Amino acid sequence: QVQLVESGGGLVQAGGSLRLSCAASGRTFSSYAMGWFRQAPGKERAPGKEREFLADISWSTGTTLYAASVKGRFTISRDDAKNTLYLQMNSLKPEDTAVYYCAATRVGSSWSSPEYWGQGTQVTVSS
């Protein structure tokens, strides 16, 4: 059974930092891209409404891609030995408050329908 389990969320003051983790298990992800998404409060998921893409990384090559909203503040990385994905978040702002999700999709596939999702972890940034 494939599982993506996020952790590391919490309450932080504006300007602070958090590191999210996503422990992946149940299969090898060498042919997958791993991504981080978020869903802000009050924007519950509905058909056709995508969670906000933040960043992704190719598990095999380490190639990364960032959304403009987080580029320069967030860093995505992975640890092959621990089969874990990370999102280092610096200079946090109140508008970063959201539930953060990790996801996995096969390399070359769109993020419109990832194959796997984690359950999410809450990040709250106070002003």
Side-chain angles (χ1 to χ4, degrees):
Q1 180 183 1
V2 174
Q3 282 192 311
L4 301 178
V5 180
E6 300 97 334
S7 61
L11 175 64
V12 64
Q13 287 190 330
S17 298
L18 280 176
R19 188 177 79 157
L20 305 183
S21 299
C22 172
S25 62
R27 67 163 303 136
T28 58
F29 289 90
S30 56
S31 59
Y32 282 75
M34 308 294 291
W36 285 100
F37 293 75
R38 68 187 178 190
Q39 193 144 28
K43 294 186 179 180
E44 286 72 30
R45 195 176 189 187
K49 292 189 181 294
E50 303 296 336
R51 291 167 175 165
E52 180 188 4
F53 169 84
L54 302 177
D56 70 15
I57 184 168
S58 166
W59 196 273
S60 60
T61 67
T63 303
T64 59
L65 179 69
Y66 294 92
S69 59
V70 303
K71 194 171 186 179
R73 298 191 300 128
F74 292 8
T75 302
I76 189 171
S77 63
R78 87 269 191 249
D79 185 325
D80 288 344
K82 296 181 179 180
N83 228 32
T84 300
L85 178 73
Y86 300 101
L87 185 69
Q88 177 67 42
M89 306 187 295
N90 299 327
S91 303
L92 284 163
K93 308 173 183 179
E95 52 264 42
D96 292 319
T97 294
V99 178
Y100 284 69
Y101 299 89
C102 65
T105 194
R106 292 182 186 269
V107 171
S109 298
S110 164
W111 279 114
S112 62
S113 184
E115 192 166 340
Y116 305 108
W117 284 103
Q119 83 289 350
T121 186
Q122 176 71 46
V123 171
T124 303
V125 184
S126 63
S127 57

